[in-house]
Amino acid sequence: MSSSVFYCYCHGGTDGIDSEYDGVADTCAAIKRTPSRANISSTYSSRKRRRVSVASLDLGRDLATPLTPETPIEETNADRFVTVRMSTSLPLNMTPRTNRIAKAFGLVDDRVLSPTDSPSPSSIPSLRSLLRRSASGLFSTSRTASLLSAKANLGTRKHFVMALDGPGISTDLFASPMAWSHANCIGVAFKYDVYFQNLESRAIVHLCRSSLSDGMVHSIDWGGETKPHRLALGTKAGVVRVMDSEKRMQTVEWVNDGHGMGGMHWNGDVLAVGRAGGNVTLFDVRMRAEITKIVGHKRRVHGVKWSTDGRHLATGDDGGIVHVWDHRACDLLTNDDKHVRMKHKGPVKALSWSPWQHDLLATGGGSPDGEIHIWNTRKTAPSSEPMHTISLQTAITSLHWSPHCKELLSTHGSSWTVPQSNVHSASQVSALSTENSLVVHSYPSCEQIVNVKGHSAPVGHSCISPDGCSIFTVSPVEETIKMFRVWSAPDGKGKNEGGDMTLKSTIR
């Protein structure tokens, strides 16, 4: 098209045409003109000439002009998935020929690409919302609770599977009067006596009785997986004994060192014992005396817990101080130039190390703290803060990580938040809902996924089963011990355990 326009404009005019038709030979011989395509201009109709002249726009000059910043950019409300032609688009529908080409390629089909700059306000937004809803429905998948999670176990059956009467159990909420062995025996201390029940045979055995001079039994703990029949007990006067539940006899006794009793926990043959004076004493069953003493606390040590790999020992005292002791280095990791890194605003008894991440520690504070702190002990610094904080405004008496999924269970005592009116704040509602309850939190979101009211009075202590699926809780005021199925094992072990233990019995 452009070549025909070029030859049309280069023609000499009417004078050249007349001289050619007059037949002047010498002029033709001297010039020897090249025949022009304009010679066949008679074949072009007037309509064709008009079309060529219209199409001879100087597109190069128009398109070469840059857009200045003052040039407004048109914005439309059309859907982003359908292109809209701007005002600077090429005039593709200027001639019948370009119309035919555009229609052949579907560029001017009203059904495909002929959007308008002023869409109807009712149809386009509704269509857009429908498209977005349908797209979101494709990407959103309905999440179902894992069969291992507490939501699929305790959340569906919010009731205990076993109940035991516990008259005479210690009313001290900082005592640890109950433990669950790897031989599936539940041991409980009642004042001066220690009993245990085999949950498979249902046999109840009276293990031992402490003297009046030794005081009532304050804490007990079973040996680990390698020594499931070994039980340690400590009295309020500070006497520590180790008993063999199979032979029903005492194997070793460590004399009173003049300090009262706190918490205790086994690590192989080594037993860590918290004292009322603030020290933590380490005993070895193969020796008749203590092997070392950890100095760092100034008040009674309520919580004592070894990590799952046995490399670190966490301790919490009545003043809210938490220390972590490195067994290999025989030194504290949390005390740098008398600056304690891990603190609560209330007494700390609840401690739990993660079984699937050895440096993850959960600590819980009593009144007036009511918070769960989750620490990474590898990243503690003099000014470090906990990785996560869960505020519950209720005394936290024990903590347990699930070995099968990333969930944390906490047991609670009474709440100190007393509502003054019928209109409760958010913190008051949260405190009242967790009072005397078992609460399961997901990790790392720390969301509350299950909340079960376990007792009508504060939960003083709890222990986890050897398969990591069930929890025994004790309420000293209610004088009741209850077993709850919280999680499930991946391989289904112990799935039917406790299924027929819905009867109510007494442990002594």
Side-chain angles (χ1 to χ4, degrees):
M1 183 187 299
S2 59
S3 61
S4 61
V5 174
F6 176 79
Y7 280 111
C8 179
Y9 283 178
C10 289
H11 197 280
T14 56
D15 294 337
I17 298 174
D18 294 337
S19 61
E20 183 179 357
Y21 279 98
D22 289 339
V24 183
D26 53 351
T27 306
C28 295
I31 298 177
K32 294 183 180 180
R33 309 185 60 164
T34 303
S36 172
R37 293 187 181 182
N39 296 332
I40 57 174
S41 60
S42 59
T43 60
Y44 287 81
S45 62
S46 59
R47 180 181 177 184
K48 186 72 174 181
R49 289 179 179 177
R50 285 196 301 269
R51 185 172 61 188
V52 170
S53 61
V54 171
S56 61
L57 296 175
D58 194 353
L59 300 179
R61 184 183 60 186
D62 294 338
L63 295 178
T65 304
L67 290 175
T68 60
E70 291 79 9
T71 303
I73 300 176
E74 297 183 5
E75 295 183 358
T76 63
N77 193 29
D79 197 286
R80 59 180 178 175
F81 298 105
V82 180
T83 58
V84 179
R85 285 198 294 269
M86 307 297 291
S87 60
T88 58
S89 300
L90 295 176
L92 296 179
N93 57 348
M94 292 294 294
T95 64
R97 182 170 179 267
T98 55
N99 277 331
R100 289 195 302 272
I101 296 174
K103 288 182 179 180
F105 285 95
L107 298 179
V108 293
D109 191 352
D110 293 338
R111 297 172 300 173
V112 182
L113 293 175
S114 294
T116 59
D117 290 340
S118 57
S120 60
S122 60
S123 62
I124 294 301
S126 60
L127 177 61
R128 186 186 309 168
S129 61
L130 287 175
L131 289 174
R132 289 176 179 172
R133 279 199 299 267
S134 61
S136 62
L138 293 175
F139 290 101
S140 64
T141 56
S142 58
R143 282 195 170 184
T144 58
S146 171
L147 297 179
L148 309 180
S149 173
K151 192 172 184 180
N153 294 274
L154 184 62
T156 57
R157 182 182 181 180
K158 299 182 178 181
H159 198 270
F160 59 87
V161 296
M162 182 179 185
L164 303 172
D165 288 330
I169 200 167
S170 176
T171 58
D172 187 358
L173 294 179
F174 296 105
S176 303
M178 184 176 59
W180 202 334
S181 75
H182 279 268
N184 204 19
C185 295
I186 180 72
V188 184
F190 299 96
K191 293 184 178 179
Y192 299 92
D193 299 287
V194 177
Y195 293 82
F196 73 89
Q197 181 181 20
N198 190 315
L199 298 178
E200 297 177 359
S201 64
R202 308 294 181 83
I204 300 175
V205 178
H206 178 263
L207 184 59
C208 64
R209 178 181 177 86
S210 65
S211 62
L212 295 177
S213 59
D214 294 338
M216 294 187 295
V217 179
H218 182 79
S219 300
I220 65 172
D221 189 53
W222 289 99
E225 189 173 359
T226 58
K227 304 290 183 180
H229 302 288
R230 176 190 292 169
L231 183 138
L233 63 94
T235 66
K236 283 190 174 182
V239 178
V240 180
R241 294 188 179 94
V242 179
M243 306 293 299
D244 190 327
S245 62
E246 282 187 323
K247 300 178 180 179
R248 303 182 190 179
M249 60 177 293
Q250 176 179 309
T251 58
V252 65
E253 177 179 348
W254 292 292
V255 297
N256 183 8
D257 62 352
H259 296 88
M261 190 67 192
M264 59 168 53
H265 192 219
W266 282 102
N267 180 22
D269 292 326
V270 178
L271 177 67
V273 178
R275 297 296 190 179
N279 297 329
V280 178
T281 308
L282 298 185
F283 296 99
D284 195 315
V285 293
R286 297 162 294 186
M287 303 178 67
R288 296 296 177 181
E290 66 183 39
I291 57 175
T292 187
K293 183 178 293 184
I294 303 173
V295 179
H297 296 279
K298 296 181 179 179
R299 304 178 68 175
R300 181 188 291 268
V301 180
H302 297 302
V304 178
K305 189 69 66 173
W306 287 98
S307 61
T308 53
D309 58 359
R311 296 168 56 181
H312 297 93
L313 175 68
T315 55
D317 65 11
D318 194 64
I321 303 299
V322 178
H323 279 304
V324 176
W325 185 73
D326 192 332
H327 194 193
R328 298 174 301 175
C330 296
D331 193 12
L332 294 174
L333 301 178
T334 50
N335 195 3
D336 183 25
D337 295 333
K338 298 183 180 180
H339 182 87
V340 180
R341 308 174 186 180
M342 303 167 69
K343 294 182 180 180
H344 281 268
K345 298 178 182 178
V348 176
K349 174 196 170 187
L351 301 169
S352 181
W353 290 91
S354 170
W356 31 265
Q357 185 176 337
H358 294 162
D359 53 5
L360 198 65
L361 173 66
T363 62
S367 175
D369 184 74
E371 292 183 345
I372 299 175
H373 291 171
I374 300 177
W375 312 82
N376 189 335
T377 56
R378 288 189 306 174
K379 300 180 180 179
T380 53
S383 60
S384 63
E385 296 293 331
M387 296 173 56
H388 306 279
T389 298
I390 306 174
S391 182
L392 298 170
Q393 297 295 315
T394 309
I396 300 163
T397 56
S398 63
L399 292 169
H400 299 285
W401 287 100
S402 169
H404 310 304
C405 57
K406 292 186 177 182
E407 294 179 357
L408 176 68
L409 180 139
S410 59
T411 61
H412 299 271
S414 58
S415 171
W416 54 88
T417 304
V418 180
Q420 302 295 330
S421 62
N422 293 330
V423 180
H424 303 333
S425 64
S427 61
Q428 290 174 344
V429 172
S430 175
L432 294 176
S433 62
T434 58
E435 190 175 27
N436 310 332
S437 300
L438 289 79
V439 182
V440 181
H441 316 267
S442 63
Y443 182 82
S445 65
C446 298
E447 296 179 356
Q448 187 178 130
I449 57 176
V450 177
N451 187 341
V452 174
K453 187 75 69 174
H455 296 266
S456 60
V459 181
H461 188 64
S462 69
C463 54
I464 189 169
S465 63
D467 63 354
C469 296
S470 302
I471 297 289
F472 256 119
T473 60
V474 57
S475 176
V477 177
E478 194 181 74
E479 294 186 341
T480 305
I481 303 170
K482 295 180 180 179
M483 173 182 164
F484 295 87
R485 181 148 188 95
V486 183
W487 297 290
S488 291
D491 53 0
K493 289 184 178 180
K495 188 173 183 180
N496 297 323
E497 178 184 343
D500 57 345
M501 292 190 292
T502 55
L503 72 160
K504 187 175 181 180
S505 59
T506 178
I507 200 170
R508 61 174 198 157

